[in-house]
Amino acid sequence: MLLQLDGVCLRYGVQVLADHVDAKIERGDRICLVGRNGEGKSSLLSLIGGKGDPDEGEIVRQSGMVLATLEQALPEDCTDTVYRYVAAGLGDVGIWLSEYRDHQDPDLQAKIENAHGWELLANIDAVLDRLDLDESARVMDLSGGWQRRAALARALVTEPDLLILDEPTNHLDIAAVEWLEDFLATYRGALLFVSHDRALAQRLATSVWDLDRGILRVFNCPFDRYQQEKEKQLEEEARNDALFDKKLAQEESWIRQGIKARRTRNEGRVRALQSLRNERKARRERQGVAKMSLDAGERSGKLVAELKGVTFGFEGDAAPLIRDLDFTLMRGDKVGLIGPNGAGKSTLIRLLLGDLQPQSGHIRLGTKQQVAYFDQRRDTLDPDQTVVDNIAEGRENIQVGGSTKHVMGYLSDFLFTGVKARTKVGALSGGERNRALLAKLFSQPANILVLDEPTNDLDVETLELLEQLLMDFSGTVLLVSHDRAFLDNVVESCLAFEGNGVVREYVGGYQDFVRQGGRFISAEEQLKARKAVDTIEDGENAAAEPKEKPEAQPPQKAKKLSYKLQRELDALPAKIESLENEIAAFEEEVAAPNFYQQDSETVQARLQALADLQAALEEAFERWAELDSM
């Protein structure tokens, strides 16, 4: 056992964040900590990470255990080189090593020797090499993805037994998220992480800690199974609460009977009623779910935008961001824009909305367009004004979906009531600011929604509600997001920025993009490609006469399958059927009510066996498709 929470209590003012929590972390555990915004997830992580003490109970750590934390904030203002920043993860001795590397100071040499620091040099070099970091680059000059990688290196240089991560995917593009996910999947130490990225949670988590109204429940299962079990638990809780409230109402009615009844009332029953009242008073109600709705306004024209041969790049760019793009956006389309940070997604949105004109090509815009824009920087919110002032803008009532609501009633739908509604935006948490921006966005009629990273900082329940709202929206949606599950659930097609100005449309969400062979060209690959083009152009300019292009070769005919491959193809349907039958039996076992009451090792073993069968089935389908296409 690496760490154990024993009766841990944590309070913030009068709010109880953790109420007599008991849990433990073993070597190799991958734990996803989940809970609503404001439940205290980051506070609990901080406590486990050694910052502060619990109000009650204790945290027992294994002797000699090394713990490291990957903070939520990026080191974007850090002027250090990557080497110095990473080495500083080792404390003073790391800083001495970095300075000695630059200045060869004898005093530093003596300090390092006394601290037995020379043996740590290999740790720094190994982590930098493993994460492919440029040790001489300044941290502040790196992209968000590389800053996150540098922060991870700083945490890993201590070779931690337990790595704590708080929203590690925030502000990363899809390529950086997938790199981080792949890296953590092979990490041998224990992981404890908070993340709103459901795809990452599903890939990594072997168990889930659910923090709800101060109570921590441990689910020894993958993330998708946890979601199903949590839903059942909430339904059962609602049923029990309803029965309790019915009994309390009956007893309250009895105690209020006439004088005659009061003379003869049962004193034991009175004491029982008082006990019921105390129990009801102590019940912590679950925070409500936001009730988002929006007004699609007047229908736009059938055509929203038509692009023909559009090319665009900013002055000074080595190559255009968008090259020869043909694309038609129709009313009701839901389109995701995917690609690395800085690829040009926001630029394409501005072209589609008519805010920019192309350098070449033609754009035709539709009519009757009412646009609502969700900016990931939240620039449309004034941090010095309260929530109600930001949203009301002088109005007392908000018109939404054909009905009129008072602005305070409207804000309550977004979980801003009383003091929260009159709090300055600058004092809100990230998730609350996102909810406030959504409230402002949906307070105006719109038939075109433009959403730039709307999922950052949202808890899973609010995120799923937003998903459903967008799926039901009758207007047009343009969505920029690095949340793969969100894209898969909302959009009908994707515009992928594949590098070198190439923007290609794919039917379906992100997983469909991957299945169809889509990929992003990295910045390094683009640079190599541009150098190769420059070399070819220089050679052509130096030649006396341009060389004729070679004639295109006709495509080769598909080869017939060998006897061995044909036999493999013939056997696959039976194999697939057998795997499907085994999986069905396993799923029936896992769905049994008492399955998760077994010990953790048994649960994990059975779930791993099921996961192995599912992987084998997927592999069989892929092999069948491969051989069939040949």
Side-chain angles (χ1 to χ4, degrees):
M1 183 194 70
L2 290 175
L3 182 144
Q4 181 165 331
L5 305 176
D6 189 3
V8 167
C9 293
L10 181 64
R11 300 180 186 90
Y12 182 76
V14 297
Q15 184 182 2
V16 179
L17 301 178
D19 188 8
H20 295 92
V21 165
D22 295 311
K24 61 182 179 179
I25 301 175
E26 306 275 6
R27 290 189 179 276
D29 281 351
R30 292 184 192 163
I31 302 164
C32 180
L33 173 61
V34 301
R36 302 289 295 276
N37 288 337
E39 287 283 0
K41 300 186 297 298
S42 294
S43 299
L44 185 59
L45 283 189
S46 213
L47 196 65
I48 293 171
K51 296 179 181 177
D53 298 311
D55 295 306
E56 292 181 39
E58 63 175 336
I59 299 178
V60 182
R61 296 177 177 85
Q62 185 186 72
S63 176
M65 182 194 74
V66 179
L67 181 148
T69 300
L70 181 63
E71 302 290 352
Q72 187 175 149
L74 293 174
E76 52 192 13
D77 297 326
C78 179
T79 58
D80 290 343
T81 64
V82 168
Y83 189 95
R84 181 182 175 85
Y85 174 73
V86 171
L90 294 166
D92 288 341
V93 68
I95 296 173
W96 298 338
L97 286 167
S98 175
E99 290 177 351
Y100 183 81
R101 188 168 171 269
D102 296 332
H103 304 298
Q104 315 289 306
D105 187 330
D107 292 333
L108 286 173
Q109 182 177 356
K111 285 183 176 181
I112 293 168
E113 287 173 353
N114 290 335
H116 305 287
W118 295 117
E119 60 199 55
L120 298 174
L121 272 176
N123 289 19
I124 302 171
D125 292 336
V127 168
L128 289 170
D129 182 62
R130 186 180 178 192
L131 272 63
D132 197 25
L133 285 161
D134 179 358
E135 63 184 45
S136 61
R138 285 199 313 171
V139 175
M140 66 185 299
D141 295 333
L142 301 175
S143 68
W146 284 96
Q147 285 178 353
R148 180 69 76 206
R149 197 178 290 207
L152 181 61
R154 181 184 171 108
L156 292 176
V157 76
T158 60
E159 298 182 332
D161 301 299
L162 172 61
L163 181 60
I164 297 175
L165 308 101
D166 191 359
E167 294 288 4
T169 64
N170 265 7
H171 312 295
L172 300 188
D173 60 31
I174 289 181
V177 170
E178 291 187 330
W179 176 88
L180 179 65
E181 186 181 285
D182 290 340
F183 179 86
L184 294 176
T186 61
Y187 182 65
R188 294 183 179 180
L191 297 175
L192 173 62
F193 63 96
V194 170
S195 179
H196 68 267
D197 189 317
R198 290 161 294 174
L200 179 130
Q202 180 59 35
R203 169 94 183 272
L204 295 181
T206 56
S207 62
V208 177
W209 285 7
D210 177 81
L211 184 61
D212 184 359
R213 291 160 286 175
I215 304 300
L216 185 75
R217 294 180 176 87
V218 176
F219 292 78
N220 293 310
C221 58
F223 187 74
D224 58 348
R225 184 67 61 180
Y226 149 75
Q227 288 181 299
Q228 297 170 20
E229 294 301 314
K230 177 68 174 178
E231 188 173 346
K232 291 177 186 175
Q233 174 208 312
L234 290 175
E235 289 172 356
E236 181 65 22
E237 180 182 315
R239 281 195 295 270
N240 290 338
D241 285 349
L243 290 172
F244 178 94
D245 291 344
K246 183 178 180 180
K247 181 178 180 182
L248 177 59
Q250 290 170 343
E251 295 302 289
E252 292 286 5
S253 176
W254 168 78
I255 202 71
R256 291 187 180 91
Q257 287 176 4
I259 294 172
K260 182 180 178 181
R262 288 198 187 102
R263 287 200 201 100
T264 58
R265 65 189 173 190
N266 183 319
E267 291 303 321
R269 191 171 176 182
V270 173
R271 287 193 296 272
L273 171 59
Q274 188 59 47
S275 176
L276 287 173
R277 286 172 175 171
N278 292 337
E279 186 178 342
R280 180 63 184 86
K281 186 177 179 181
R283 184 199 299 172
R284 285 185 63 182
E285 297 291 350
R286 198 159 188 266
Q287 183 188 22
V289 178
K291 303 170 187 174
M292 301 179 195
S293 61
L294 56 92
D295 188 346
E298 183 183 7
R299 277 163 59 99
S300 69
K302 189 173 182 181
L303 174 73
V304 176
E306 182 183 51
L307 282 63
K308 289 188 176 180
V310 166
T311 294
F312 184 90
F314 290 103
E315 188 175 347
D317 285 353
L321 292 170
I322 298 163
R323 190 196 305 270
D324 297 326
L325 174 61
D326 294 328
F327 174 68
T328 302
L329 181 66
M330 304 297 290
R331 181 181 65 223
D333 285 351
K334 295 179 174 63
V335 181
L337 282 72
I338 58 177
N341 288 334
K345 300 184 291 294
S346 297
T347 299
L348 178 53
I349 285 175
R350 294 177 66 191
L351 287 165
L352 286 166
L353 299 179
D355 294 340
L356 288 176
Q357 296 301 315
Q359 292 169 336
S360 63
H362 176 70
I363 298 177
R364 183 161 66 101
L365 299 178
T367 58
K368 301 179 182 178
Q369 297 187 356
Q370 296 171 297
V371 180
Y373 201 124
F374 183 102
D375 182 1
Q376 65 167 316
R377 295 172 299 179
R378 310 184 184 100
D379 288 343
T380 54
L381 293 175
D382 184 344
D384 296 323
Q385 285 193 338
T386 65
V387 175
V388 66
D389 289 338
N390 265 283
I391 277 69
E393 297 177 328
R395 295 172 292 174
E396 283 193 11
N397 298 307
I398 304 286
Q399 190 81 20
V400 180
S403 62
T404 301
K405 284 190 174 183
H406 189 275
V407 65
M408 293 303 291
Y410 174 74
L411 284 176
S412 70
D413 287 345
F414 290 82
L415 308 184
F416 292 107
T417 57
V419 175
K420 274 294 182 186
R422 293 181 172 83
T423 301
K424 288 185 177 181
V425 166
L428 300 177
S429 69
E432 288 169 335
R433 284 197 296 271
N434 255 19
R435 280 209 313 274
L437 187 53
L438 289 170
K440 182 167 186 176
L441 185 76
F442 298 159
S443 69
Q444 304 286 350
N447 51 38
I448 300 174
L449 286 181
V450 180
L451 304 168
D452 192 354
E453 288 296 343
T455 65
N456 284 345
D457 303 311
L458 292 182
D459 57 50
V460 171
E461 288 181 77
T462 306
L463 198 153
E464 290 176 344
L465 179 66
L466 178 59
E467 276 180 358
Q468 190 60 53
L469 184 74
L470 295 178
M471 286 189 283
D472 295 340
F473 181 56
S474 60
T476 306
V477 175
L478 291 172
L479 173 64
V480 177
S481 180
H482 303 309
D483 187 321
R484 294 156 292 173
F486 193 77
L487 285 164
D488 287 337
N489 292 338
V490 171
V491 304
E492 298 158 351
S493 66
C494 288
L495 284 173
F497 288 71
E498 298 186 325
N500 294 318
V502 176
V503 181
R504 187 172 286 118
E505 185 177 12
Y506 290 83
V507 175
Y510 180 73
Q511 294 303 327
D512 296 301
F513 158 77
V514 173
R515 275 193 289 270
Q516 293 170 65
R519 65 182 292 267
F520 305 124
I521 301 175
S522 68
E524 292 80 3
E525 290 175 305
Q526 292 185 49
L527 182 60
K528 290 177 183 177
R530 282 200 292 271
K531 287 180 178 178
V533 170
D534 291 342
T535 303
I536 293 170
E537 289 177 348
D538 291 343
E540 289 178 346
N541 292 336
E545 293 181 2
K547 296 180 181 179
E548 292 183 3
K549 292 183 179 179
E551 292 183 6
Q553 297 295 319
Q556 294 183 348
K557 294 182 179 179
K559 295 180 180 179
K560 187 177 180 181
L561 285 177
S562 67
Y563 175 74
K564 181 179 178 182
L565 290 179
Q566 185 62 52
R567 286 198 63 186
E568 183 183 356
L569 176 60
D570 293 342
L572 277 171
K575 181 180 180 180
I576 288 171
E577 184 179 359
S578 173
L579 286 168
E580 286 177 334
N581 290 337
E582 287 186 73
I583 289 171
F586 260 92
E587 288 178 338
E588 186 175 345
E589 175 190 344
V590 169
N594 61 349
F595 178 78
Y596 290 101
Q597 305 306 315
Q598 303 175 91
D599 64 89
S600 175
E601 290 184 4
T602 302
V603 169
Q604 286 300 322
R606 300 304 287 166
L607 289 174
Q608 185 59 52
L610 175 58
D612 291 343
L613 284 172
Q614 290 169 333
L617 178 62
E618 186 175 343
E619 185 179 334
F621 270 121
E622 288 177 355
R623 183 59 173 163
W624 177 83
E626 179 186 358
L627 293 176
D628 187 59
S629 66
M630 293 167 61

